[in-house]
């Protein structure tokens, strides 16, 4: 008898409290010892029914916090019951209560109630219970007090557990509650990371509800921003490929925007960059550059800019293919009035044209030279635009079949005056370095020599050389007395400026009139001094410019007067073939009876 009563206790509790859940005609054994006497469960029945009535009454007719407060202790007990049906019914009641503002406040102000809800999620596998509790926590998460209560009750691991549910509504409640926690509750990010939330969220990217995916991607962005560990977890979970697939598969603007924001955050991570590029991220992002949404276009451009230096490192058979359309689009975007768009477009073009012959040719054919020159003219002092634009022109005017056409095109589109102007203040060293390199390339085209001279390029380049050389000398003295080595200003080594300016003068000195100007600027003694440089590339350009200047009798005489014979003789034994060849040519020209006869050294202009 006792055994039968023990087995039937849950049914008797349900009969007393939730009779509507019993099958019709079901007989429940009673535990009364004396006929007519009430059992404990039967005595519970009336107050339980009253509690139910009060809850229903509260939901349907009143907004009485006091009534809710009275109901909560009983509901907490029911949520802790052993019978899953009792727990499910109680969870459903709490969910209904949470829909009304007054009773919702009562719930969130009861740490015991929130803890009971979290325990119910943790311990239950019943779909209806999970749905009800998920809905309740979702409703609480619209209030700061509710978020704090969920967080303090250890609700985050429980919510992360719900992200594995196959039920759409449960998933929705869980992700939106976690999203609210991420937005407004301090400490949530780390708690979600520890609970394995990132891995679950990446797995959810395979679902196809666009609004749901927009929330998932926003959560990923919040978690990954400024956190390298999160970025690596997303990578290890296959995130880059899934995010690129989302960019390709959907048209819902908010989803595309939130996804592009995650990719933008990941695109500054050296580990994620190649994974995004290899998944076809460049092409997927490029497909949205003509979208009507300005915020989407801007995010795609920033992400492309971050990825573009990695895109060049992929082999010709890899994801590099299919970038032709992007290059054409970028050239068009240079004509935009929005300076943020122009800044990104120039940066991407600069990266994609670096050491990539195919991209150089396509950009030139798309009208890139004219567009870049126009961009520089319009940018004024905005170095965030002029520097990458000049770098792109430097790439496009060197080492590809269309390079000579490009060198002419810069002049034909009136680029030379503005480039010479950029050699002057307020330009900073990174921009000056880029302009000097571009002028060196432009000087490879004979038609550019006279205009560059007429615009005053030669004296300004010599001024920059002297200034940079003085900086290196000062730094060398400082190093000798215990200072740090190398003179760096605005991130540029002054030795690079010396190398670049002498290299440009070397090419410009191929032209007779330019040689006269360079001689008149009294810089031959400095070139001779640079033959003693410990840096091989500087030795090479110094010997090279002296080789050109020695082609004229006047030049050869000045070079000899300034004591070049000894260092040049020493450099004949240089391990660098270029240095030795130039040194031999200068010595030969200085010793010639007929200095006007020009001997062509073997040039290799890298």
């Amino acid at each position: 008898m006792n055994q039968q009563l023990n087995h039937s206790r849950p049914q008797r509790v349900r009969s007393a409290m939730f009779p509507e859940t019993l099958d019709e005609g079901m007989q429940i054994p009673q535990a009364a010892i004396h006929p007519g006497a009430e059992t404990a469960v039967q005595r519970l029945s009336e107050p339980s029914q009253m509690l139910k009535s009060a809850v229903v009454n509260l939901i349907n007719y009143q907004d009485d916090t006091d009534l809710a407060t009275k109901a909560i202790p009983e509901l907490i007990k029911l949520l802790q019951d052993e019978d899953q049906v009792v727990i499910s019914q109680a969870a459903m009641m709490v969910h209904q209560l949470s829909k009304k503002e007054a009773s919702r406040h009562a719930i969130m102000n009861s740490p015991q109630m929130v803890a009971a809800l979290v325990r119910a999620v943790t311990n239950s596998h019943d779909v209806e219970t999970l749905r009800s509790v998920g809905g309740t926590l979702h409703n609480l998460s619209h209030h700061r007090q509710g978020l704090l209560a969920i967080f303090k009750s250890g609700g985050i691991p429980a919510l992360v557990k719900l992200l594995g549910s196959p039920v759409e509504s449960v998933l929705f409640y869980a992700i939106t509650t976690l999203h609210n926690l991420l937005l407004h509750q301090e400490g949530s990010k780390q708690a979600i990371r520890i609970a394995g939330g990132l891995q679950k969220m990446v797995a959810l990217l395979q679902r196809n509800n666009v609004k749901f995916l927009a929330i998932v991607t926003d959560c990923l962005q919040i978690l990954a921003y400024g956190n390298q560990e999160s970025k690596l977890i997303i990578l290890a979970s296959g995130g880059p490929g899934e995010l690129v697939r989302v960019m390709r598969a959907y048209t819902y603007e908010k989803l595309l925007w939130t996804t592009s924001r995650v990719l933008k955050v990941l695109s500054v991570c050296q580990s994620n960059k190649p994974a995004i590029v290899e998944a076809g991220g460049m092409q997927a992002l490029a497909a949205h550059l003509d979208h009507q949404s300005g915020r989407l276009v801007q995010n795609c451009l920033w992400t492309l800019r971050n990825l573009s230096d990695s895109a060049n490192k992929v082999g010709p058979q890899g994801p590099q293919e299919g970038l032709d359309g992007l290059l054409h689009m970028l050239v068009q975007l240079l004509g935009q009035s929005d300076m943020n768009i122009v800044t990104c477009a120039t940066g991407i073009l600069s990266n994609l044209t670096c050491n990539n012959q195919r991209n150089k040719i396509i950009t030139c054919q798309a009208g890139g030279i004219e567009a870049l020159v126009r961009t520089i003219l319009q940018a004024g002092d905005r170095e965030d635009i002029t520097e990458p634009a000049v770098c792109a022109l430097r790439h496009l005017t060197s080492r590809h079949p269309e390079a000579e056409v490009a060198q002419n095109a810069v002049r034909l589109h009136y680029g030379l005056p503005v480039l010479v102007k950029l050699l002057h203040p307020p330009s900073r060293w990174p921009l000056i370095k880029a302009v000097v390199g571009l002028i060196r390339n432009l000087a490879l085209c004979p038609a550019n020599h006279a205009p560059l001279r007429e615009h005053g390029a030669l004296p300004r380049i010599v001024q920059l050389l002297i200034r940079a050389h003085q900086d290196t000398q000062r730094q060398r003295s400082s190093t000798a007395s215990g200072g740090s080595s190398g003179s760096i200003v605005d991130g540029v080594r002054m030795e690079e400026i010396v190398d670049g300016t002498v290299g440009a003068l070397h090419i410009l000195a191929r032209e007779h009139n330019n040689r006269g100007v360079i001689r008149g600027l009294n810089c031959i003694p400095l070139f001779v001094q640079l033959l003693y440089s410990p840096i091989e590339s500087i030795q090479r350009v110094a010997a090279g410019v002296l080789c050109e200047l020695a082609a004229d009798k006047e030049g050869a005489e000045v070079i000899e007067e300034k004591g070049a014979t000894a260092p040049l003789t020493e450099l004949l034994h240089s391990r660098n073939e270029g240095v030795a060849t130039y040194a031999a040519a200068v010595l030969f020209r200085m010793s010639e009876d007929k200095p006007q006869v020009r001997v062509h050294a073997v040039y290799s202009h890298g």
Side-chain angles (χ1 to χ4, degrees):
M1 181 70 175
N2 281 339
Q3 192 175 1
Q4 186 184 6
L5 289 172
N6 283 336
H7 281 308
S8 65
R9 184 179 293 124
Q11 282 88 359
R12 286 182 287 113
V13 172
R14 280 170 65 184
S15 172
M17 300 193 64
F18 306 111
E20 68 273 15
T21 67
L22 295 174
D23 294 333
E24 198 173 340
M26 185 175 177
Q27 292 297 316
I28 306 294
Q30 296 303 318
I33 297 169
H34 303 292
E38 282 189 299
T39 65
V41 171
Q42 286 170 330
R43 284 200 299 276
L44 181 63
S45 176
E46 189 177 346
S48 296
Q49 293 301 319
M50 285 171 64
L51 171 65
K52 272 182 66 180
S53 301
V55 170
V56 171
N57 193 35
L58 176 66
I59 292 164
N60 292 330
Y61 308 109
Q62 299 176 36
D63 236 345
D64 188 340
T65 308
D66 292 338
L67 199 54
T69 307
K70 288 172 188 170
I72 282 170
E74 297 302 325
L75 286 167
I76 291 170
K77 288 177 191 172
L78 296 175
L79 283 169
Q80 294 167 340
D81 198 275
E82 292 177 8
D83 188 334
Q84 285 300 317
V85 177
V86 171
I87 295 171
S88 179
Q89 290 291 315
M92 210 176 292
M93 282 187 180
V94 179
H95 185 207
Q96 290 301 318
L97 278 171
S98 73
K99 293 177 180 178
K100 294 265 190 171
E101 188 168 352
S103 45
R104 187 159 62 239
H105 281 282
I107 294 168
M108 70 179 76
N109 286 323
S110 168
Q112 296 85 356
M113 170 55 90
V114 179
L117 290 167
V118 169
R119 271 196 304 276
V121 171
T122 307
N123 300 327
S124 177
H125 297 286
D126 174 63
V127 171
E128 288 308 318
T129 303
L130 296 178
R131 195 197 312 271
S132 296
V133 176
T136 303
L137 295 175
H138 167 74
N139 291 337
L140 299 186
S141 74
H142 291 101
H143 303 267
R144 286 196 178 275
Q145 182 65 25
L147 290 168
L148 184 62
I150 294 168
F151 181 72
K152 282 187 169 179
S153 302
I156 284 178
L159 288 162
V160 169
K161 174 199 166 188
L162 292 183
L163 293 181
S165 170
V167 181
E168 197 83 18
S169 59
V170 173
L171 274 178
F172 173 78
Y173 285 141
I175 198 68
T176 49
T177 306
L178 287 167
H179 188 229
N180 289 336
L181 283 159
L182 284 169
L183 289 171
H184 307 295
Q185 179 57 52
E186 194 178 343
S188 296
K189 293 179 194 176
Q190 191 58 18
I192 290 171
R193 290 182 194 117
I194 292 168
L198 279 159
Q199 295 89 329
K200 289 267 184 75
M201 288 175 189
V202 171
L204 290 172
L205 292 174
Q206 295 179 12
R207 300 188 77 84
N208 57 14
N209 180 318
V210 290
K211 294 186 177 179
F212 175 80
L213 287 172
I215 299 169
V216 174
T217 47
D218 203 43
C219 288
L220 286 171
Q221 191 272 337
I222 295 167
L223 288 162
Y225 183 80
N227 188 280
Q228 183 62 16
E229 183 192 355
S230 292
K231 292 173 190 175
L232 294 176
I233 292 170
I234 291 170
L235 173 62
S237 306
E242 284 301 317
L243 291 162
V244 169
R245 186 188 60 76
V246 168
M247 289 301 292
R248 282 206 174 110
Y250 299 101
T251 57
Y252 180 51
E253 189 272 347
K254 188 174 182 182
L255 172 57
L256 294 172
W257 175 65
T258 52
T259 307
S260 69
R261 290 177 79 222
V262 190
L263 287 168
K264 183 169 78 169
V265 169
L266 297 179
S267 68
V268 298
C269 166
Q270 294 305 317
S271 303
N272 271 286
K273 264 188 184 187
I276 297 169
V277 171
E278 283 161 22
M282 295 289 289
Q283 294 82 347
L285 290 159
H288 300 291
L289 290 182
D290 57 355
H291 201 283
Q292 290 182 326
S293 167
R295 65 178 187 171
L296 172 59
V297 171
Q298 190 66 68
N299 269 302
C300 289
L301 280 169
W302 281 120
T303 311
L304 284 165
R305 184 176 180 175
N306 294 340
L307 295 173
S308 54
D309 59 341
S310 285
N312 261 344
K313 296 171 189 171
V314 183
Q317 271 70 50
Q320 167 61 32
E321 288 186 356
L323 291 183
D324 302 13
L326 171 58
L327 292 165
H328 280 269
M329 178 68 77
L330 291 167
V331 171
Q332 288 175 29
L333 289 173
L334 292 177
Q336 289 267 358
S337 57
D338 185 333
M339 288 297 105
N340 288 321
I341 288 176
V342 176
T343 303
C344 288
T346 52
I348 300 164
L349 280 170
S350 175
N351 283 337
L352 290 180
T353 54
C354 181
N355 297 319
N356 190 304
Q357 195 174 100
R358 175 186 171 88
N359 288 352
K360 290 179 184 182
I361 294 168
I362 291 161
T363 305
C364 286
Q365 290 172 348
I369 299 290
E370 181 182 0
L372 286 162
V373 170
R374 188 178 62 243
T375 299
I376 293 167
L377 286 164
Q378 292 171 350
D381 294 339
R382 286 198 56 162
E383 291 192 25
D384 55 340
I385 294 174
T386 52
E387 189 197 338
V390 168
C391 287
L393 284 174
R394 190 182 68 206
H395 302 150
L396 295 171
T397 51
S398 173
R399 297 203 292 271
H400 70 98
E402 307 275 326
E404 193 176 345
V405 175
Q407 292 155 14
N408 272 300
V410 173
R411 180 187 75 258
L412 295 172
H413 293 297
Y414 310 103
L416 299 185
V418 72
L419 291 173
V420 175
K421 186 185 174 190
L422 289 176
L423 291 174
H424 293 78
S427 296
R428 293 160 68 249
W429 282 118
L431 175 57
I432 289 170
K433 177 187 167 187
V435 174
V436 168
L438 174 55
I439 287 175
R440 180 226 177 266
N441 289 349
L442 296 175
L444 293 166
C445 172
N448 286 330
H449 283 193
L452 283 168
R453 181 175 66 251
E454 288 157 12
H455 291 303
L458 289 162
R460 182 56 186 162
I461 291 172
V462 170
Q463 280 176 359
L464 291 166
L465 163 60
I466 293 167
R467 189 170 139 206
H469 178 64
Q470 287 170 346
D471 274 3
T472 62
Q473 294 304 101
R474 273 196 297 272
Q475 189 61 42
R476 204 159 288 162
S477 307
S478 163
T479 306
S481 58
S484 60
S485 62
S487 176
I488 299 175
V489 185
D490 292 331
V492 177
R493 290 174 60 83
M494 289 299 100
E495 288 83 358
E496 293 177 273
I497 299 295
V498 171
D499 193 336
T501 49
V502 178
L505 291 167
H506 172 199
I507 307 301
L508 286 162
R510 291 178 176 182
E511 201 265 341
H512 174 72
N513 293 317
N514 285 349
R515 289 198 292 276
V517 173
I518 294 168
R519 275 199 314 274
L521 292 166
N522 298 319
C523 49
I524 288 177
L526 178 50
F527 296 146
V528 174
Q529 192 181 340
L530 291 173
L531 294 172
Y532 292 99
S533 170
I535 299 167
E536 204 172 63
S537 60
I538 291 178
Q539 288 180 354
R540 184 175 174 279
V541 288
V545 72
L546 289 172
C547 180
E548 295 297 346
L549 293 170
D552 300 326
K553 181 179 179 181
E554 303 89 333
E557 288 172 353
V558 176
I559 293 167
E560 193 164 5
E561 281 169 22
K562 299 303 176 184
T565 306
L568 287 167
T569 305
E570 186 69 30
L571 291 175
L572 290 173
H573 308 293
S574 170
R575 288 174 300 178
N576 184 301
E577 190 182 340
V579 172
T581 304
Y582 284 133
V586 181
L587 289 167
F588 177 67
R589 288 176 178 176
M590 288 194 303
S591 66
E592 269 188 306
D593 291 329
K594 297 176 182 175
Q596 72 275 13
V597 177
R598 187 127 186 250
V599 179
H600 288 276
V602 179
Y603 300 115
S604 97
H605 296 298

